[in-house]
Amino acid sequence: MAIEIREATIADIAQIIAIGRDTYRQHFADIWRNMDTFLDQDFSCAAVTACVSQRDKHRYLLAWKENELVGFAKLNLDTQLPGQAGHGVELQKIYLTRAAVGHHLGSQLLQTSLQIAATLQRSYVWLDVLKSNHSAQQFYRRHQFTVTGEIPFSTDCQEIGMWVMVRPLTAAELAMTAPTELTSLVSAS
């Protein structure tokens, strides 16, 4: 079964919004009483369009399986964490449908994100993950991320908190030469 990972275009905005809202509900409904305000802000047409349109600042990577959008990653390309040398890429989101979890799509999106960071000569990739999301923490640890701090996060019904996790890029990764224009990466599952 072929997996395609490609960068989002303006034509993909409606699908990003739909899958973003759906996957967030699938995975995080239990931490909210009413998540609509959050989703309306995070996945508004204006917010997603702004990110897709500003390739120098953001990238959405889309994961397709059998011509169906089953997940995505959102990257913020030039960020700096206090206490970290150099600039990094923030992996702001990896969202997969429940049916796509466990099929290595998250790993493929993460590897593509690391390749983009290396191509841009960033020193590290970082993210924040809910303290209560143990499976995601384990996933990121398997990919050499370590906890370096914590930040507050609350929903409309609870204070949860988030771990900040960082994965430095190695000299070998930074030495890789890859095209700066990422339009399509295809692999098999």
Side-chain angles (χ1 to χ4, degrees):
M1 217 174 294
I3 304 299
E4 179 186 12
I5 297 176
R6 69 167 175 81
E7 191 173 326
T9 67
I10 295 294
D12 299 310
I13 289 172
Q15 287 182 288
I16 293 168
I17 292 167
I19 195 170
R21 293 177 70 91
D22 289 347
T23 56
Y24 194 89
R25 283 185 195 284
Q26 288 173 13
H27 295 285
F28 302 112
D30 62 326
I31 65 172
W32 294 87
R33 259 184 250 132
N34 179 0
M35 69 175 72
D36 289 333
T37 302
F38 171 79
L39 291 175
D40 290 345
Q41 180 181 6
D42 217 40
F43 291 106
S44 72
C45 187
V48 175
T49 300
C51 289
V52 171
S53 300
Q54 297 176 0
R55 289 190 71 250
D56 59 323
K57 296 179 182 176
H58 311 281
R59 303 279 170 93
Y60 270 96
L61 304 175
L62 307 181
W64 299 83
K65 188 173 187 176
E66 297 180 351
N67 297 317
E68 178 185 355
L69 181 60
V70 295
F72 67 87
K74 180 186 176 193
L75 307 176
N76 297 317
L77 301 179
D78 192 16
T79 60
Q80 189 168 18
L81 278 174
Q84 293 289 321
H87 289 263
V89 168
E90 177 189 10
L91 177 57
Q92 186 178 351
K93 306 175 189 312
I94 290 185
Y95 288 175
L96 298 171
T97 62
R98 280 209 191 272
V101 172
H103 298 280
H104 307 290
L105 294 171
S107 292
Q108 290 178 15
L109 284 166
L110 181 56
Q111 288 304 316
T112 304
S113 301
L114 293 170
Q115 289 171 353
I116 290 170
T119 299
L120 296 171
Q121 294 295 294
R122 301 298 187 250
S123 303
Y124 54 89
V125 174
W126 71 278
L127 55 92
D128 49 50
V129 61
L130 291 173
K131 288 182 175 182
S132 60
N133 193 344
H134 301 290
S135 61
Q137 293 168 36
Q138 184 179 25
F139 168 79
Y140 293 121
R141 282 189 189 98
R142 280 196 313 268
H143 290 280
Q144 303 169 349
F145 282 80
T146 57
V147 172
T148 61
E150 61 183 290
I151 58 174
F153 178 76
S154 59
T155 67
D156 61 353
C157 65
Q158 61 185 301
E159 172 64 39
I160 301 170
M162 300 183 110
W163 295 119
V164 175
M165 299 182 81
V166 176
R167 188 203 183 267
L169 295 177
T170 66
E173 288 169 327
L174 290 169
M176 291 186 318
T177 56
T180 56
E181 291 294 319
L182 174 72
T183 55
S184 180
L185 293 175
V186 179
S187 58
S189 63

